[in-house]
Amino acid sequence: MTLGLAARDGRIVAPDDTTAAPLAVRGLTVTYGEKPALFALEATFDAGVMSAIIGPNGAGKSTLLKAVLGMVTPVSGNIRAFGRPVSEVLSRIAYVPQRATVDWDFPTRVIDVVLMGMARELGLLRPIRQDHRDRAVACLSRVGMEHFADRQIGQLSGGQQQRVFLARALAQGAELYLLDEPFAGVDAATEKTIVAVLKSLRDAGATVVVVHHDLATVASYFERALLINTTRIAEGPVADVLTSETLQATYGGRLAQAQLAQILG
Amino acid sequence: MAGASHRRSSRRSSAEMWGLGYNAALVAIGAGLLGAGAGITGSFLVLRKRALVSDAIAHATLPGIALAFLVMVALGGEGRNLAGLLTGSALSAWFGLLCVGWLTHATRLSEDAAIGAVLSVFFGFGILLLTVIQSLNMGRQAGLETFLLGSTAGMLYSDALTIAIGGGLATLAALVLRRPMLTAAFDPGYAVATGLDIRRVDLAMMGLVMAITVIGIKIVGLVLIVAMVILPPVTARFWTDRADRVVLIAGVMGGLTGLVGALISALAPNLPTGPIIVLTGSLAFAISLLIAPRRGALAALLARHRYQRHVHLRQGLLALALNHPVHERYTLRLLIHAGLANPDGTATDEGRAAAARALLDESRWQVLRADPAQEIAASHYDGLRPIETVLTPDQIAQIDARLAPRPLP
């Protein structure tokens, strides 16, 4: 690493303070057209921790994940995963996209979707063998979907589809899991299953980062939270981060006092 | 020379054993191979929802054909050299593709608008060049316009070989790239997140379609080649819910279409081969559209009819349970037919039992739907679905406890 200094939050800091955290974002700015979706965002996600990214609609939550994965090109900023550029460690990162981004009439079965998670290992030509299928079914059974392996993906309910997506991420065997609103529009049983699986991943040492929209469940699901609205409002343990000041700063007047009281207990 | 003509005559005699002319046999084999290749490569394009790109590709070949002819004549060569013409068409089709890509990326034009623009500009320019070539009277230029609608009359053994090799290579490449192409088609966001360069995957996919197009314009013509790329996969989609089978069926379907179409046109030599092949493919499509299970029009109609009967029966039973008169004649007919009602509109014993069950189910649903905590389970309510398929027996018992005791009728 070359010697040098970088500015952050108006302070001068050493450029190597990003460490080897599973995910570290420094000074990230992403714009769509002229309007910044993210501005000078700072965030660090530590190993073995389950974190939520929280913020109102249009705060840049999904954009942050997209920028991390190279789906949008940032105007400026530095993103490192495990201390290296993300493109070098993509095999260690599993992504669960928003359900709405997929064509549900696509002719594919549940098991084919899960096998997609093994793309790197299968390569272009290696045939799919029985042990691949067995592993795919094992991933499905972790999310309670093993009996749906042969269904066309569009025949499933929203919650079931989301669980299949999670199974695909499991099949990849990653160390960092990025999930974009996995609980949006799913039933309570699915939410419970997904949370349980994520917690078991965390307990096994994986890092889990979830774009989350339900403030009421943040405290029970996650250890840390990142509050953003275009830029970082607060970051840290959930209990420290979710205060009425930070929530007001994040959501402005959009959060009623009654809601606030409920979230803060 | 003597050896070559001898080989040719022996080939000729084996083709004639089929009862076909030598040319007809060549055309049939060539068209079959082309159809299979077009069906397989086209599947990926259709699944990626970019079928129309093939139309832009096909029309963008025309200026390349004309320019290649001019260049070859200017160099003192044979203007109608097929390899030269195909190279020219490939270059201009590739340029057309780049234009479509650039227009959608650099401007706010949507892809369909960009396709329309590129298609018409290239085609117009190509037609202009053809007209110029004809007026120049350079000799032997006749036949260039056969690339528009295809021509099989003068098909040579070398042409068939070109199609076989080119189509085979394109098919092989498509099979090698099948996983990235299908991932990109199903879930582009995820594909990028796994490190796939989606633009390169798309370019490869369109390059394969372009190869097939260039190879096929001699037989089918550039106006109709699109049909060979699009029809087999959309036909195949009716018959399967699996992407790998769409590709397989489209390959078989495309091959058969080409073969059968070419054979039909051989039986009626005055009919043009390209349009006959396309019409054959359309027939397969139309039949699939009608009779395919689940996705076909007939299946959809039957399913709707079944659903309607279900709704009428349910409403009739609820009416019987509440002692309301059944006004609708269709409902009454269904009830009578099912042995649930008498011709006078009163319930049979069986009808009374079924009506009570329907009413209980409905009342349980009402309790469930009134409970804000059960919003998701309640969202399954459609007036038909038995509550047992949504809730566990325990949950139903809880609901029953909350059901107000209903006075017996």
Side-chain angles (χ1 to χ4, degrees), chain A residues 40-133:
Chain A
L41 185 85
E42 304 280 324
T44 307
F45 298 94
D46 293 321
V49 174
M50 216 165 130
S51 312
I53 300 173
I54 301 164
N57 287 334
K61 304 186 296 287
S62 300
T63 303
L64 173 55
L65 292 195
K66 286 184 178 154
V68 167
L69 293 162
M71 292 153 74
V72 296
T73 312
V75 174
S76 70
N78 186 345
I79 304 169
R80 289 177 96 77
F82 306 103
R84 293 163 60 190
V86 176
S87 57
E88 291 176 14
V89 287
L90 278 174
S91 63
R92 297 162 71 182
I93 305 175
Y95 171 55
V96 178
Q98 265 182 44
R99 241 166 16 89
T101 61
V102 172
D103 165 21
W104 292 111
D105 192 42
F106 196 85
T108 190
R109 293 171 307 165
V110 165
I111 190 152
D112 298 325
V113 175
V114 181
L115 286 166
M116 222 175 259
M118 303 181 194
R120 201 169 279 270
E121 147 187 8
L122 285 167
L124 293 177
L125 294 174
R126 205 157 300 136
I128 294 168
R129 280 198 309 272
Q130 193 55 44
D131 63 302
H132 295 120
R133 285 202 192 85

